[in-house]
Amino acid sequence: MDLKKQLKEGLLTQNPVLVQLLGMCSTLAITTSLFNGLGMGVAVTAILTCSNIVISLLRKVIPDKIRIAAYIVVIAGFVTIVDLLLQAYVQELAESLGVFIPLIVVNCIILGRAEAFASKNSVAASAVDGLCQGIGYTVVLVVMSVIREFLGCGTFGAGILNGGKGYVLLGSQYPASLIAQPVGGFLTLGILIALTQWLMRPAKKKEGSRDGLR
Amino acid sequence: MSEKKAPGARAAKPAPKQPVQLDPQYITRLTVTLLAICVVVALLLGVTNAITKPLIDEAKAEKARAAMMAVFPADEYVPVERELPKGISAWYTVRHGSTSVGWVLETTAAGSQGPITMMVGVDINGEVTGVSVISHSETSNIGTKVVDSQTVLDRLIGMSHADGEITLNAGTNRFDGVSGATYSSKGVVAGVNAALDAVAPDVGKW
């Protein structure tokens, strides 16, 4: 178990969004404000870590033929629990994320990690993997949210900071609402992916191999 | 050659196609495992639901009450006991002490991106006392210029069906929407029209 390596993979070399391109739907749809991005990221990280732990615990009990069904039941259970908890304790977030909370069930990152990692590794390693991948997902969501909220609405942290009003950085005539729409999501994501690839390039050359890709 | 064999040998490792195992013991194991997982998950969900349901219900009721207070402040809201017309999901009579002074209706109409649910207050003369949007999925910065803007929604106050249906940007009983957000404006107007239609038979009868 190599914590540093797993964290680096989650954040950069195996980032679920920027490199594996998983969970695109929620990434594009909800990154319109920091509040949404952070909330979704934390919810997914919690569910991913919990489901990774449980699936890793059960990996020897679950027969191979029904593993996908079993994983989905476990994941759906956690998602519903988080959904109910959000509705009960953080109504604003539950409202603004809406249908995207139940849709975490079909978020490929979670089933992907269950199948690719948790079903083959120890409980501790799976927990760390869930956490690292979740953090990688959250960081991307937060970055995208901040960019899109600033360019699309001209605010920063609307819904959480400054007593829920956020900080207005641009006058109402400047924001390009295009960026806050799905089109802007694709544009932002594309630019971010290109930027990560560019950033990772020198590192690859130095290592002289593609070790990053297990 | 032997080196080249290695990848081939690896590829062959996943077992060749086997006939489906119909060993009853194996089938039982599959069923029991899946059933056990489902039971445990269901149990956990039941517990969570039992804990959160009162809180969720309370929050919903509180929100509905706040929306009613916003469109028609009153002492008491009494549910109307009759079959609700299409598009109306809740209907209350508004009371000040023991006198009924109007109605509050929750209506849903199609917006641009999905349904818009709103609370509409109507007084005894059939005039709108207020409109408040409860939930919507309109586009941020376009449709929200209608549904999230109380200034725009407040322009509906005082409108009635005395001169026929309210129409968007046209006619004598005209509501000026927000340009660029025509479908969201249409949705709000449709919701208000539905509320006014529903109370029409009772207007001025008390």
Side-chain angles (χ1 to χ4, degrees):
Chain A
M1 194 176 96
D2 188 345
L3 183 66
K4 218 172 157 189
K5 181 171 158 262
Q6 279 184 314
L7 191 62
K8 193 185 162 202
E9 280 183 355
L11 281 176
L12 210 61
T13 55
Q14 282 290 297
N15 186 290
V17 180
L18 297 177
V19 178
Q20 301 182 59
L21 296 183
L22 294 176
M24 290 290 100
C25 176
S26 56
T27 306
L28 294 169
I30 58 95
T31 52
T32 48
S33 75
L34 178 63
F35 183 51
N36 282 358
L38 201 60
M40 187 70 173
V42 171
V44 167
T45 307
I47 294 167
L48 183 56
T49 312
C50 293
S51 69
N52 259 11
I53 292 173
V54 170
I55 286 164
S56 177
L57 274 173
L58 295 174
R59 69 186 188 280
K60 294 200 176 106
V61 186
I62 299 174
D64 202 40
K65 284 209 164 46
I66 54 158
R67 64 183 196 285
I68 302 286
Y71 299 163
I72 287 288
V73 172
V74 170
I75 295 167
F78 279 121
V79 170
T80 314
I81 289 173
V82 167
D83 188 18
L84 289 174
L85 290 177
L86 284 181
Q87 280 184 43
Y89 298 105
V90 205
Q91 279 116 19
E92 297 83 11
L93 190 61
E95 218 163 85
S96 84
L97 292 178
V99 74
F100 289 99
I101 289 289
L103 277 180
I104 296 175
V105 176
V106 287
N107 190 319
C108 315
I109 298 172
I110 298 178
L111 190 59
R113 291 327 283 180
E115 173 79 2
F117 199 93
S119 60
K120 300 185 183 83
N121 290 282
S122 73
V123 176
S126 301
V128 172
D129 178 72
L131 208 58
C132 292
Q133 293 283 325
I135 291 170
Y137 178 74
T138 309
V139 167
V140 174
L141 287 200
V142 166
V143 169
M144 278 186 69
S145 299
V146 169
I147 295 173
R148 289 180 69 192
E149 192 184 341
F150 174 66
L151 294 177
C153 303
T155 55
F156 177 72
I160 30 170
L161 302 175
N162 201 11
K165 278 180 291 190
Y167 299 98
V168 180
L169 304 175
L170 291 177
S172 61
Q173 70 270 40
Y174 296 117
S177 52
L178 180 83
I179 299 294
Q181 283 164 46
V183 185
F186 275 109
L187 286 174
T188 318
L189 184 65
I191 291 169
L192 269 185
I193 291 175
L195 206 63
T196 342
Q197 292 300 323
W198 181 75
L199 276 175
M200 285 192 326
R201 200 179 47 147
K204 268 186 194 169
K205 258 187 191 166
K206 217 187 280 172
E207 285 169 18
S209 70
R210 298 169 71 232
D211 273 351
L213 309 164
R214 252 182 301 145
Chain B
M1 283 301 274
S2 61
E3 276 169 49
K4 276 195 176 176
K5 241 181 182 176
R10 217 175 121 246
K13 213 178 177 186
K17 272 188 187 171
Q18 285 174 347
V20 183
Q21 283 188 35
L22 282 176
D23 177 12
Q25 232 184 327
Y26 186 66
I27 292 174
T28 318
R29 199 182 140 216
L30 293 186
T31 319
V32 170
T33 317
L34 203 50
L35 187 69
I37 292 174
C38 288
V39 167
V40 172
V41 170
L43 213 65
L44 282 175
L45 286 183
V47 171
T48 319
N49 189 42
I51 297 169
T52 54
K53 192 157 193 307
L55 287 162
I56 295 171
D57 286 348
E58 197 182 303
K60 274 187 185 151
E62 185 53 46
K63 212 184 156 200
R65 201 179 155 70
M68 286 195 273
M69 285 299 279
V71 297
F72 204 150
D75 305 334
E76 203 186 350
Y77 302 95
V78 184
V80 171
E81 284 176 15
R82 68 172 83 167
E83 202 178 317
L84 298 174
K86 196 171 173 278
I88 309 243
S89 40
W91 189 349
Y92 298 90
T93 304
V94 179
R95 284 171 178 272
H96 278 308
S98 58
T99 33
S100 303
V101 289
W103 307 270
V104 168
L105 300 95
E106 188 184 278
T107 68
T108 302
S112 145
Q113 303 298 315
I116 304 175
T117 302
M118 67 209 95
M119 202 63 96
V120 182
V122 185
D123 70 10
I124 190 69
N125 302 318
E127 287 181 2
V128 175
T129 59
V131 179
S132 164
V133 171
I134 300 171
S135 69
H136 70 84
S137 39
E138 299 308 285
T139 315
S140 172
N141 253 340
I142 301 180
T144 55
K145 284 181 181 165
V146 181
V147 292
D148 280 350
S149 164
Q150 204 52 51
T151 338
V152 172
L153 295 176
D154 282 350
R155 295 211 293 252
L156 284 154
I157 294 176
M159 301 190 82
S160 71
H161 273 186
D163 303 322
E165 294 254 302
I166 301 171
T167 43
L168 182 64
N169 302 338
T172 46
N173 198 10
R174 161 190 188 123
F175 169 69
D176 289 317
V178 173
S179 72
T182 309
Y183 282 89
S184 308
S185 308
K186 260 188 189 163
V188 171
V189 169
V192 172
N193 274 331
L196 289 175
D197 279 341
V199 300
D202 298 332
V203 165
K205 279 203 181 150
W206 284 331

mmCIF file of all heavy atoms in Angstrom, chain B residues 114-140:
data_model
loop_
_atom_site.group_PDB
_atom_site.id
_atom_site.type_symbol
_atom_site.label_atom_id
_atom_site.label_comp_id
_atom_site.label_asym_id
_atom_site.label_seq_id
_atom_site.Cartn_x
_atom_site.Cartn_y
_atom_site.Cartn_z
ATOM 1 N N GLY B 114 -38.054 22.052 -17.801
ATOM 2 C CA GLY B 114 -38.735 21.066 -16.968
ATOM 3 C C GLY B 114 -39.889 21.760 -16.274
ATOM 4 O O GLY B 114 -40.177 22.927 -16.550
ATOM 5 N N PRO B 115 -40.558 21.038 -15.370
ATOM 6 C CA PRO B 115 -41.707 21.641 -14.710
ATOM 7 C C PRO B 115 -41.304 22.776 -13.754
ATOM 8 O O PRO B 115 -40.252 22.725 -13.137
ATOM 9 C CB PRO B 115 -42.327 20.474 -13.939
ATOM 10 C CG PRO B 115 -41.258 19.471 -13.827
ATOM 11 C CD PRO B 115 -40.332 19.666 -14.980
ATOM 12 N N ILE B 116 -42.150 23.796 -13.688
ATOM 13 C CA ILE B 116 -41.978 24.867 -12.704
ATOM 14 C C ILE B 116 -43.126 24.725 -11.709
ATOM 15 O O ILE B 116 -44.284 24.710 -12.109
ATOM 16 C CB ILE B 116 -42.062 26.262 -13.358
ATOM 17 C CG1 ILE B 116 -41.040 26.394 -14.483
ATOM 18 C CG2 ILE B 116 -41.871 27.363 -12.322
ATOM 19 C CD1 ILE B 116 -41.163 27.703 -15.251
ATOM 20 N N THR B 117 -42.798 24.563 -10.434
ATOM 21 C CA THR B 117 -43.839 24.474 -9.417
ATOM 22 C C THR B 117 -43.873 25.788 -8.664
ATOM 23 O O THR B 117 -42.833 26.290 -8.234
ATOM 24 C CB THR B 117 -43.545 23.323 -8.453
ATOM 25 O OG1 THR B 117 -43.459 22.125 -9.211
ATOM 26 C CG2 THR B 117 -44.640 23.175 -7.418
ATOM 27 N N MET B 118 -45.076 26.364 -8.556
ATOM 28 C CA MET B 118 -45.169 27.667 -7.897
ATOM 29 C C MET B 118 -46.372 27.743 -6.976
ATOM 30 O O MET B 118 -47.321 26.976 -7.113
ATOM 31 C CB MET B 118 -45.230 28.779 -8.945
ATOM 32 C CG MET B 118 -46.483 28.786 -9.774
ATOM 33 S SD MET B 118 -46.203 29.468 -11.411
ATOM 34 C CE MET B 118 -45.910 28.004 -12.379
ATOM 35 N N MET B 119 -46.284 28.640 -6.018
ATOM 36 C CA MET B 119 -47.384 28.900 -5.109
ATOM 37 C C MET B 119 -48.045 30.186 -5.582
ATOM 38 O O MET B 119 -47.353 31.187 -5.816
ATOM 39 C CB MET B 119 -46.796 29.058 -3.702
ATOM 40 C CG MET B 119 -47.763 28.819 -2.584
ATOM 41 S SD MET B 119 -48.404 27.146 -2.546
ATOM 42 C CE MET B 119 -47.333 26.378 -1.361
ATOM 43 N N VAL B 120 -49.369 30.148 -5.759
ATOM 44 C CA VAL B 120 -50.077 31.331 -6.240
ATOM 45 C C VAL B 120 -51.146 31.704 -5.222
ATOM 46 O O VAL B 120 -51.952 30.866 -4.823
ATOM 47 C CB VAL B 120 -50.746 31.055 -7.615
ATOM 48 C CG1 VAL B 120 -51.430 32.309 -8.135
ATOM 49 C CG2 VAL B 120 -49.724 30.553 -8.618
ATOM 50 N N GLY B 121 -51.130 32.953 -4.791
ATOM 51 C CA GLY B 121 -52.167 33.439 -3.877
ATOM 52 C C GLY B 121 -53.213 34.194 -4.674
ATOM 53 O O GLY B 121 -52.890 34.981 -5.554
ATOM 54 N N VAL B 122 -54.511 33.915 -4.388
ATOM 55 C CA VAL B 122 -55.595 34.608 -5.087
ATOM 56 C C VAL B 122 -56.567 35.114 -4.037
ATOM 57 O O VAL B 122 -56.958 34.363 -3.134
ATOM 58 C CB VAL B 122 -56.346 33.653 -6.048
ATOM 59 C CG1 VAL B 122 -57.381 34.425 -6.853
ATOM 60 C CG2 VAL B 122 -55.379 32.942 -6.973
ATOM 61 N N ASP B 123 -56.960 36.390 -4.127
ATOM 62 C CA ASP B 123 -57.890 36.892 -3.117
ATOM 63 C C ASP B 123 -59.334 36.642 -3.556
ATOM 64 O O ASP B 123 -59.594 36.109 -4.637
ATOM 65 C CB ASP B 123 -57.607 38.363 -2.786
ATOM 66 C CG ASP B 123 -57.982 39.286 -3.935
ATOM 67 O OD1 ASP B 123 -58.625 38.826 -4.903
ATOM 68 O OD2 ASP B 123 -57.609 40.472 -3.866
ATOM 69 N N ILE B 124 -60.264 37.049 -2.713
ATOM 70 C CA ILE B 124 -61.662 36.728 -2.911
ATOM 71 C C ILE B 124 -62.218 37.335 -4.201
ATOM 72 O O ILE B 124 -63.194 36.862 -4.772
ATOM 73 C CB ILE B 124 -62.462 37.180 -1.654
ATOM 74 C CG1 ILE B 124 -63.883 36.660 -1.679
ATOM 75 C CG2 ILE B 124 -62.420 38.686 -1.500
ATOM 76 C CD1 ILE B 124 -63.959 35.180 -1.504
ATOM 77 N N ASN B 125 -61.573 38.409 -4.698
ATOM 78 C CA ASN B 125 -62.022 39.026 -5.942
ATOM 79 C C ASN B 125 -61.391 38.391 -7.177
ATOM 80 O O ASN B 125 -61.580 38.878 -8.289
ATOM 81 C CB ASN B 125 -61.694 40.526 -5.935
ATOM 82 C CG ASN B 125 -62.346 41.216 -4.756
ATOM 83 O OD1 ASN B 125 -63.503 40.940 -4.435
ATOM 84 N ND2 ASN B 125 -61.597 42.080 -4.101
ATOM 85 N N GLY B 126 -60.616 37.340 -6.959
ATOM 86 C CA GLY B 126 -59.988 36.671 -8.094
ATOM 87 C C GLY B 126 -58.723 37.356 -8.573
ATOM 88 O O GLY B 126 -58.301 37.165 -9.701
ATOM 89 N N GLU B 127 -58.149 38.200 -7.704
ATOM 90 C CA GLU B 127 -56.911 38.870 -8.098
ATOM 91 C C GLU B 127 -55.705 38.190 -7.458
ATOM 92 O O GLU B 127 -55.753 37.802 -6.289
ATOM 93 C CB GLU B 127 -56.949 40.344 -7.670
ATOM 94 C CG GLU B 127 -57.882 41.172 -8.529
ATOM 95 C CD GLU B 127 -57.892 42.636 -8.115
ATOM 96 O OE1 GLU B 127 -57.137 42.993 -7.196
ATOM 97 O OE2 GLU B 127 -58.668 43.394 -8.722
ATOM 98 N N VAL B 128 -54.635 38.090 -8.224
ATOM 99 C CA VAL B 128 -53.410 37.461 -7.727
ATOM 100 C C VAL B 128 -52.796 38.324 -6.628
ATOM 101 O O VAL B 128 -52.640 39.540 -6.791
ATOM 102 C CB VAL B 128 -52.399 37.278 -8.882
ATOM 103 C CG1 VAL B 128 -51.073 36.730 -8.359
ATOM 104 C CG2 VAL B 128 -52.962 36.364 -9.948
ATOM 105 N N THR B 129 -52.486 37.677 -5.489
ATOM 106 C CA THR B 129 -51.858 38.434 -4.398
ATOM 107 C C THR B 129 -50.355 38.196 -4.350
ATOM 108 O O THR B 129 -49.637 38.928 -3.689
ATOM 109 C CB THR B 129 -52.437 38.024 -3.032
ATOM 110 O OG1 THR B 129 -52.200 36.629 -2.866
ATOM 111 C CG2 THR B 129 -53.912 38.313 -2.947
ATOM 112 N N GLY B 130 -49.910 37.169 -5.042
ATOM 113 C CA GLY B 130 -48.472 36.913 -5.048
ATOM 114 C C GLY B 130 -48.155 35.597 -5.725
ATOM 115 O O GLY B 130 -49.001 34.694 -5.760
ATOM 116 N N VAL B 131 -46.966 35.492 -6.276
ATOM 117 C CA VAL B 131 -46.512 34.252 -6.911
ATOM 118 C C VAL B 131 -45.113 33.967 -6.378
ATOM 119 O O VAL B 131 -44.281 34.868 -6.294
ATOM 120 C CB VAL B 131 -46.456 34.390 -8.448
ATOM 121 C CG1 VAL B 131 -45.950 33.098 -9.075
ATOM 122 C CG2 VAL B 131 -47.809 34.758 -9.002
ATOM 123 N N SER B 132 -44.895 32.718 -5.987
ATOM 124 C CA SER B 132 -43.570 32.357 -5.505
ATOM 125 C C SER B 132 -43.206 31.000 -6.095
ATOM 126 O O SER B 132 -43.968 30.046 -5.986
ATOM 127 C CB SER B 132 -43.598 32.306 -3.977
ATOM 128 O OG SER B 132 -42.472 31.634 -3.504
ATOM 129 N N VAL B 133 -42.067 30.925 -6.752
ATOM 130 C CA VAL B 133 -41.660 29.661 -7.381
ATOM 131 C C VAL B 133 -41.001 28.777 -6.332
ATOM 132 O O VAL B 133 -40.093 29.217 -5.617
ATOM 133 C CB VAL B 133 -40.705 29.918 -8.564
ATOM 134 C CG1 VAL B 133 -40.111 28.612 -9.064
ATOM 135 C CG2 VAL B 133 -41.444 30.634 -9.680
ATOM 136 N N ILE B 134 -41.492 27.544 -6.214
ATOM 137 C CA ILE B 134 -40.959 26.617 -5.218
ATOM 138 C C ILE B 134 -39.821 25.802 -5.792
ATOM 139 O O ILE B 134 -38.778 25.647 -5.176
ATOM 140 C CB ILE B 134 -42.063 25.669 -4.718
ATOM 141 C CG1 ILE B 134 -43.196 26.486 -4.092
ATOM 142 C CG2 ILE B 134 -41.500 24.693 -3.706
ATOM 143 C CD1 ILE B 134 -44.391 25.651 -3.778
ATOM 144 N N SER B 135 -40.035 25.244 -6.976
ATOM 145 C CA SER B 135 -38.945 24.475 -7.578
ATOM 146 C C SER B 135 -39.003 24.610 -9.088
ATOM 147 O O SER B 135 -40.071 24.816 -9.670
ATOM 148 C CB SER B 135 -39.027 23.002 -7.174
ATOM 149 O OG SER B 135 -40.142 22.417 -7.789
ATOM 150 N N HIS B 136 -37.847 24.532 -9.717
ATOM 151 C CA HIS B 136 -37.759 24.670 -11.171
ATOM 152 C C HIS B 136 -36.430 24.088 -11.616
ATOM 153 O O HIS B 136 -35.557 23.819 -10.798
ATOM 154 C CB HIS B 136 -37.841 26.140 -11.569
ATOM 155 C CG HIS B 136 -36.610 26.910 -11.177
ATOM 156 N ND1 HIS B 136 -35.481 26.950 -11.952
ATOM 157 C CD2 HIS B 136 -36.326 27.640 -10.075
ATOM 158 C CE1 HIS B 136 -34.559 27.679 -11.355
ATOM 159 N NE2 HIS B 136 -35.044 28.103 -10.201
ATOM 160 N N SER B 137 -36.275 23.892 -12.925
ATOM 161 C CA SER B 137 -34.966 23.466 -13.426
ATOM 162 C C SER B 137 -34.592 24.323 -14.626
ATOM 163 O O SER B 137 -34.026 23.844 -15.595
ATOM 164 C CB SER B 137 -34.989 21.977 -13.777
ATOM 165 O OG SER B 137 -36.209 21.629 -14.371
ATOM 166 N N GLU B 138 -34.915 25.601 -14.555
ATOM 167 C CA GLU B 138 -34.641 26.499 -15.671
ATOM 168 C C GLU B 138 -33.145 26.808 -15.774
ATOM 169 O O GLU B 138 -32.399 26.684 -14.803
ATOM 170 C CB GLU B 138 -35.426 27.813 -15.501
ATOM 171 C CG GLU B 138 -36.932 27.620 -15.473
ATOM 172 C CD GLU B 138 -37.451 26.826 -16.656
ATOM 173 O OE1 GLU B 138 -37.528 27.354 -17.749
ATOM 174 O OE2 GLU B 138 -37.776 25.628 -16.472
ATOM 175 N N THR B 139 -32.743 27.257 -16.954
ATOM 176 C CA THR B 139 -31.328 27.541 -17.210
ATOM 177 C C THR B 139 -30.854 28.715 -16.366
ATOM 178 O O THR B 139 -31.485 29.762 -16.341
ATOM 179 C CB THR B 139 -31.121 27.885 -18.691
ATOM 180 O OG1 THR B 139 -31.837 26.941 -19.463
ATOM 181 C CG2 THR B 139 -29.653 27.834 -19.051
ATOM 182 N N SER B 140 -29.704 28.501 -15.716
ATOM 183 C CA SER B 140 -29.128 29.550 -14.904
ATOM 184 C C SER B 140 -28.847 30.783 -15.760
ATOM 185 O O SER B 140 -28.331 30.667 -16.867
ATOM 186 C CB SER B 140 -27.841 29.014 -14.282
ATOM 187 O OG SER B 140 -27.151 30.029 -13.645
#
